[in-house]
Amino acid sequence: MRRDLAERLLANIMDWSDGEKAAECAALEAFAKYKYDEYQQYAPGLRFLESLALWLRQFNTQSERRVAYDFVRRRLVFVSEAEMNHLVELAFPTILRPQLVERTSAEIRIPAHRVHTITKSLPYEKHLRRTLVLGLSDGARTDRFRRANWREITNEQIWHAYDISSAKAQNLKEELEKDIAKLNAKGAGDEPKADPLFETVVLLDDFTASGTSFLRENGEGGWKGKIDKILNMLDDDQNGLGALMCPTGVKVVVVLYIAAPQAIQHLVPLLPKRGFARGDIELHVVHRLGDDQKLTSPRDDGILGLAGDDAYWDADADDEHARIGGKSFRYGYADCALPVVLSHNAPNNSIFLLWAEESSSVHGLFPRVSRHRTFG
């Protein structure tokens, strides 16, 4: 669909005057060029203005269309590729380096504010090299993280996934042994030698709104989620990953580039409750979504009313993953009710009207591609 045709269709759908069309289309063009056209899951030939026209056309009344349009203009949060990459680049200097500096400071008894002196010290080099960085999903952007920190993180201490094969684990072990031997040789004769084992594990991921896929209680006295699975692996000496770890004093640092308050409130008390036999586990967030970004009543009654209307809902969207969250996907997974879209995919924590998949009876403004394909 040509851009000018999309603008004419929008003006017709919204019943805009010539003046309104000129003002609104200029603003929409700016939004599209600045961010929204880069959404990666549009169908071939489709961009933001075309998708917006189709999305608005599905509403039955002019008042509903005005509510939906106002939501897009006032409440939509779109995280661009550049913004996400910036958060990836901030993770090491704002979260990981200060932790390593603090650990080294306590060891060599130099005040932590003397960052340059500490980061040039041999003990800091050892702590840095004994840090393993793993991705929790393809959203972790470990490639971007590595390139942003190539002066400090080597290719042999970062991997795109946490489920490491025995061959990869052996390779990581061999490279760590070689590098630690070189660092130990640089020290004075009375300086403590570092063991060729990892003492810090960094788990990277891009986004969470509920936190339940990371960690949750299973109702039977046990645990489920990615973090529980990884902690079990780290505690097991027979596992390729566990065999790389120090027996005690290991710190697991979960770093999320973006997280909603609901997820933080869920995870912070659960992590110490779950515990970690070999050490500690803590959560850090590069960018926390604002408390006011969740759609709430009465402020957002208009769009929430549309989200709750059966005319704009496909019951087939509720699958076993919705049941894990405990709520219908109408208002997003786990009732998160977010207006958030990421450039590479729309999270299912946002309202269904935003991300309805192409196979749905409802047109999503930013159609989502699910990781889980349904057969039958």
Side-chain angles (χ1 to χ4, degrees):
M1 189 183 296
R2 294 173 57 86
R3 184 59 54 97
D4 56 349
L5 179 60
E7 291 182 357
R8 289 201 300 271
L9 179 58
L10 273 170
N12 181 262
I13 289 170
M14 297 302 299
D15 195 23
W16 286 332
S17 66
D18 289 343
E20 288 174 321
K21 176 185 175 183
E24 294 300 329
C25 286
L28 292 173
E29 278 279 3
F31 293 158
K33 289 180 179 179
Y34 179 56
K35 285 188 177 184
Y36 301 162
D37 272 353
E38 74 175 58
Y39 186 63
Q40 296 173 19
Q41 306 306 334
Y42 284 136
L46 195 71
R47 289 295 180 267
F48 172 66
L49 286 187
E50 293 91 339
S51 185
L52 178 63
L54 295 173
W55 187 68
L56 291 170
R57 189 173 63 176
Q58 72 188 325
F59 297 108
N60 293 323
T61 68
Q62 201 61 35
S63 62
E64 289 178 340
R65 291 170 183 169
R66 284 194 291 268
V67 166
Y69 182 75
D70 186 67
F71 163 72
V72 173
R73 288 282 266 119
R74 312 296 175 192
R75 295 288 279 137
L76 180 64
V77 177
F78 189 102
V79 182
S80 70
E81 190 77 1
E83 288 167 333
M84 184 62 80
N85 285 337
H86 182 58
L87 297 178
V88 174
E89 292 162 4
L90 286 174
F92 185 88
T94 63
I95 294 174
L96 302 180
R97 185 187 291 132
Q99 294 219 350
L100 294 170
V101 165
E102 184 178 351
R103 190 166 194 161
T104 307
S105 169
E107 178 181 329
I108 64 178
R109 298 181 181 180
I110 292 179
H113 68 266
R114 297 180 61 186
V115 174
H116 180 76
T117 300
I118 291 172
T119 56
K120 295 301 180 183
S121 70
L122 185 59
Y124 176 85
E125 284 190 73
K126 292 178 180 179
H127 289 307
L128 179 60
R129 183 59 185 88
R130 297 171 76 198
T131 297
L132 179 64
V133 181
L134 302 173
L136 286 173
S137 74
D138 55 4
R141 301 179 184 229
T142 50
D143 57 338
R144 184 80 187 192
F145 181 90
R146 176 178 54 79
R147 290 194 296 271
N149 302 291
W150 62 270
R151 292 180 178 85
E152 300 180 84
I153 298 291
T154 72
N155 191 55
E156 289 74 30
Q157 61 187 120
I158 185 167
W159 191 239
H160 65 274
Y162 58 85
D163 197 359
I164 295 177
S165 69
S166 57
K168 182 60 183 179
Q170 182 62 30
N171 174 256
L172 292 172
K173 184 175 186 295
E174 291 171 356
E175 294 298 327
L176 180 62
E177 288 173 346
K178 286 193 296 186
D179 290 344
I180 292 299
K182 292 177 184 178
L183 291 172
N184 283 336
K186 288 171 62 175
D190 59 346
E191 188 164 334
K193 306 295 184 183
D195 292 327
L197 295 167
F198 290 107
E199 62 180 5
T200 302
V201 180
V202 182
L203 305 176
L204 299 176
D205 214 345
D206 60 344
F207 176 83
T208 184
S210 70
T212 57
S213 65
F214 288 95
L215 187 66
R216 61 187 184 275
E217 297 180 83
N218 65 6
E220 301 174 357
W223 299 87
K224 298 193 75 173
K226 293 179 186 178
I227 291 177
D228 177 63
K229 182 177 180 179
I230 295 169
L231 294 180
N232 288 332
M233 294 165 66
L234 292 173
D235 275 334
D236 183 4
D237 283 331
Q238 304 306 310
N239 180 279
L241 189 56
L244 301 174
M245 299 297 121
C246 290
T248 59
V250 177
K251 176 174 279 191
V252 177
V253 185
V254 181
V255 178
L256 304 174
Y257 304 136
I258 302 175
Q262 182 174 328
I264 298 170
Q265 293 161 11
H266 171 81
L267 289 171
V268 168
L270 281 191
L271 292 176
K273 186 176 180 181
R274 164 55 174 83
F276 175 43
R278 285 187 164 177
D280 313 308
I281 179 167
E282 53 189 51
L283 173 71
H284 292 270
V285 177
V286 181
H287 177 73
R288 169 187 165 135
L289 293 177
D291 292 326
D292 63 343
Q293 285 176 329
K294 180 174 181 175
L295 301 174
T296 57
S297 180
R299 179 189 57 192
D300 301 300
D301 279 349
I303 191 65
L304 290 173
L306 292 180
D309 191 327
D310 286 345
Y312 314 120
W313 164 245
D314 186 341
D316 289 341
D318 278 343
D319 55 16
E320 67 271 21
H321 306 289
R323 289 190 287 275
I324 291 173
K327 299 287 184 177
S328 169
F329 275 144
R330 283 180 187 268
Y331 306 107
Y333 177 85
D335 219 19
C336 289
L338 290 177
V340 174
V341 176
L342 308 181
S343 63
H344 68 279
N345 208 9
N348 61 9
N349 308 95
S350 293
I351 58 172
F352 174 74
L353 266 176
L354 264 184
W355 57 261
E357 298 180 19
E358 286 188 16
S359 59
S360 172
S361 60
V362 177
H363 180 81
L365 180 56
F366 297 95
R368 170 181 167 81
V369 174
S370 175
R371 290 180 300 165
H372 310 282
R373 184 180 174 189
T374 301
F375 290 89

